[in-house]
Amino acid sequence: MTSIPLAAISAWHPQAPLQRVHFDWLAGVELAVLRLDLIDPLISGNKWFKLAPHLRLAAERGAAGIVSLGGAHSNHLHALAAAGQRFSFATVGLLRGHPQNTPTVQDLQGFGMQLHWLGYGGYRERHSPAFWSPWHARYPGFTAVPEGGGGLPGALGCAQLPAMVAAQLPALGWDDYHGWWLAAGTGTTLAGLVVGEGGRRTVHGALAVPLDHGVPEQVRSLLSEAGVSDAGYRLLDACRGGFARQDAELLAFMTQCEAQSGLPLEPLYTAKALLALRDAIGRGEVEAGRRLVFVHTGGLQGRRAALGNASGS
Ligand SMILES: *Cc1c(COP(=O)(O)O)cnc(C)c1O
């Protein structure tokens, strides 16, 4: 059985372009977008940066492959399966719910990921101590990566993003900027940015899930594990009634933003984060002349189904 190729994974340093964008609602706020959606045609978005440290740790241990979890539209499983195909290692996906043939699932199969559907009850058991033993027995030597590529390794993989922005500021004509704005799901990416910033700039996380779903606690615990002070960030509710909820105002706003900027968006994360920014500007919380970096966290593969009636993560 082949193992995970550490050298090839460590040698791949995808660069995300930093681009100025204009929307008619910015009211003098200046915005640049870090296009994580453009790092690769298949391995897209923040999920690669969260995944890479997990893959390196697994490779160092000589793991035979990676097993992880997600829904039928999961951006995380999509990036993992694409990475497995690219770097020739085995991947197993444990899926929430009952077999569905979404575009994401078709891609996972095409990338060679082995899929198992756990049902809803089975998926809810994923945090119980006994959950993993049958999977470790079935896939000996595989390393389990947490849902979404979370945990401290996932966060630290995102701590390099401020340096990626810094390297591109001169070309943008910016000497500096004031803060970050991004969609947050588990808050792992946000925590990584806070670590990378070391308190210099505020990181604003627009939550795609309700505030009472444990994200503030999760961010606090990641920062404490990283030995970094629990400051320098702000979480705001941007979920508009629940994860994957889509309303007419959101969809119209997304279409309008895409037309004004040429930036492709999806309704679960990036469009909700921008709408939350528009509203914050409207409330006077972000003043004219402020320069923000918006992280385009990707997720466009999920859009194929998200614009229908599906929900996922
Ligand atoms: C997963 C995801 C997020 C959330 O990232 P977290 O690190 O879980 O906060 C944001 N945007 C997109 C497009 C995602 O796929």
Side-chain angles (χ1 to χ4, degrees), residues 233-246:
Y233 69 95
R234 197 178 137 232
L235 292 170
L236 64 152
D237 189 343
C239 78
R240 306 181 67 81
F243 180 68
R245 284 277 179 87
Q246 298 170 38

Side-chain angles (χ1 to χ4, degrees), residues 108-133:
L108 299 182
Q109 287 166 333
F111 294 143
M113 181 177 258
Q114 189 69 48
L115 304 185
H116 298 278
W117 295 87
L118 305 189
Y120 291 97
Y123 197 83
R124 270 196 297 277
E125 292 302 309
R126 67 194 179 281
H127 303 299
S128 89
F131 178 85
W132 286 103
S133 43

Side-chain angles (χ1 to χ4, degrees), residues 12 14-17 35-41 43-45 48-49:
W12 192 48
Q15 294 299 311
R35 299 284 308 270
L36 302 188
D37 60 311
L38 292 181
I39 59 169
D40 183 82
I43 308 175
S44 172
W48 168 255
F49 295 93

Side-chain angles (χ1 to χ4, degrees), residues 34 161-162 165 177 179-182 193 197 202-204 292-293 295:
L34 185 64
L161 297 177
V165 166
Y177 60 106
W180 295 80
W181 198 279
L182 78 156
L193 286 174
E197 273 296 338
T202 304
V203 184
H204 300 266
L292 293 179
V293 171
V295 185

Side-chain angles (χ1 to χ4, degrees), residues 10-312:
S10 301
W12 192 48
H13 300 288
Q15 294 299 311
L18 183 69
Q19 302 171 343
R20 283 298 309 273
V21 289
H22 300 280
F23 299 115
D24 65 5
W25 45 264
L26 282 172
V29 173
E30 294 186 57
L31 202 61
V33 181
L34 185 64
R35 299 284 308 270
L36 302 188
D37 60 311
L38 292 181
I39 59 169
D40 183 82
L42 292 178
I43 308 175
S44 172
N46 63 338
K47 297 302 184 284
W48 168 255
F49 295 93
K50 297 168 71 176
L51 202 47
H54 286 290
L55 297 182
R56 284 195 296 270
L57 287 169
E60 281 160 6
R61 276 188 225 123
I66 300 286
V67 50
S68 195
L69 307 121
H73 308 283
S74 170
N75 295 324
H76 162 65
L77 288 183
H78 198 269
L80 173 62
Q85 185 186 58
R86 171 81 49 87
F87 296 109
S88 304
F89 63 87
T91 57
V92 175
L94 307 181
L95 283 117
R96 176 174 54 233
H98 304 294
Q100 280 186 66
N101 199 22
T102 64
T104 304
V105 167
Q106 288 171 18
D107 282 355
L108 299 182
Q109 287 166 333
F111 294 143
M113 181 177 258
Q114 189 69 48
L115 304 185
H116 298 278
W117 295 87
L118 305 189
Y120 291 97
Y123 197 83
R124 270 196 297 277
E125 292 302 309
R126 67 194 179 281
H127 303 299
S128 89
F131 178 85
W132 286 103
S133 43
W135 297 111
H136 286 313
R138 181 153 183 177
Y139 295 103
F142 276 55
T143 291
V145 165
E147 217 176 1
L152 187 59
L156 295 182
C158 301
Q160 60 179 289
L161 297 177
M164 200 180 284
V165 166
Q168 298 184 71
L169 285 181
L172 214 64
W174 280 12
D175 52 353
D176 204 352
Y177 60 106
H178 298 96
W180 295 80
W181 198 279
L182 78 156
T186 61
T188 309
T189 306
L190 172 132
L193 286 174
V194 173
V195 171
E197 273 296 338
R200 282 185 296 271
R201 304 179 187 86
T202 304
V203 184
H204 300 266
L207 274 173
V209 299
L211 254 175
D212 62 4
H213 279 207
V215 179
E217 294 77 9
Q218 168 78 5
V219 170
R220 218 173 296 139
S221 121
L222 283 169
L223 293 178
S224 136
E225 248 186 287
V228 165
S229 99
D230 182 43
Y233 69 95
R234 197 178 137 232
L235 292 170
L236 64 152
D237 189 343
C239 78
R240 306 181 67 81
F243 180 68
R245 284 277 179 87
Q246 298 170 38
D247 57 87
E249 186 192 0
L250 171 74
L251 296 176
F253 174 77
M254 181 171 90
T255 306
Q256 177 202 333
C257 288
E258 289 183 324
Q260 288 177 11
S261 67
L263 202 63
L265 300 167
E266 48 66 54
L268 305 196
Y269 293 103
T270 47
K272 281 186 178 175
L274 281 177
L275 187 45
L277 174 59
R278 184 199 72 180
D279 291 346
I281 292 173
R283 290 192 301 269
E285 293 169 17
V286 186
E287 294 151 29
R290 289 264 136 181
R291 287 176 169 166
L292 293 179
V293 171
F294 176 74
V295 185
H296 192 312
T297 41
L300 298 171
Q301 69 81 26
R303 176 186 166 136
R304 294 169 296 180
L307 288 177
N309 54 8
S311 70

